[in-house]
Amino acid sequence: MSQITVFSGSERRRRWSEEERLRVLAEAFSPGACVAEVCRRHDISTSLIYTWRSKLRQAHAEEEAGEPPVPAFAEAVLVDEDARSCAGATPAMVIDLARGKRVRVFPSALPAQVVAVLKALR
């Protein structure tokens, strides 16, 4: 059985506040959530939710592009010789990127792989 919503009056479109949009986006893209189910629950199309997400990403990217990068130093960590015995289990390098992304580089990784991953996350 389908449901039909009839809007009457001069304004036929629903207006969503920023808080409502953010709440729906958080619900739709939370781990284990199904976007289609969230759209049905809120009676919106899936294309609208992806449009909202795209606009939010663009706004966030423009905010970051407007800010000049802050120079920072990389942290160097000294490792004991005993800790090197299990070099396959611990990463050789940990790279923290923007927006909370973290890349762990293991000694067995090929340089081309590391470059490809960093370019993809940039």
Side-chain angles (χ1 to χ4, degrees):
M1 182 185 297
S2 63
Q3 176 182 346
I4 297 175
T5 305
V6 178
F7 295 104
S8 62
S10 61
E11 186 66 34
R12 298 191 190 273
R13 291 185 180 189
R14 287 182 288 176
R15 299 287 179 190
W16 297 85
S17 68
E18 279 298 312
E19 294 80 27
E20 290 172 322
R21 288 180 188 184
L22 292 174
R23 184 178 43 80
V24 171
L25 285 172
E27 183 181 344
F29 295 105
S30 63
C34 177
V35 175
E37 289 177 9
V38 173
C39 289
R40 278 191 291 271
R41 203 171 20 248
H42 293 283
D43 195 28
I44 59 176
S45 76
T46 54
S47 64
L48 181 60
I49 215 165
Y50 287 110
T51 301
W52 288 350
R53 182 177 72 166
S54 172
K55 288 182 179 181
L56 183 65
R57 283 182 173 174
Q58 287 174 356
H60 187 66
E62 289 172 2
E63 287 175 5
E64 286 185 355
E67 300 171 1
V70 178
F73 291 100
E75 179 182 356
V77 180
L78 297 176
V79 179
D80 294 338
E81 290 297 322
D82 295 337
R84 285 189 167 176
S85 61
C86 58
T90 58
M93 184 184 333
V94 177
I95 304 169
D96 288 327
L97 301 172
R99 297 184 217 139
K101 295 177 185 170
R102 179 174 283 173
V103 177
R104 290 178 179 86
V105 180
F106 290 88
S108 61
L110 298 174
Q113 290 174 329
V114 176
V115 169
V117 167
L118 291 175
K119 282 184 179 180
L121 292 174
R122 182 175 44 159

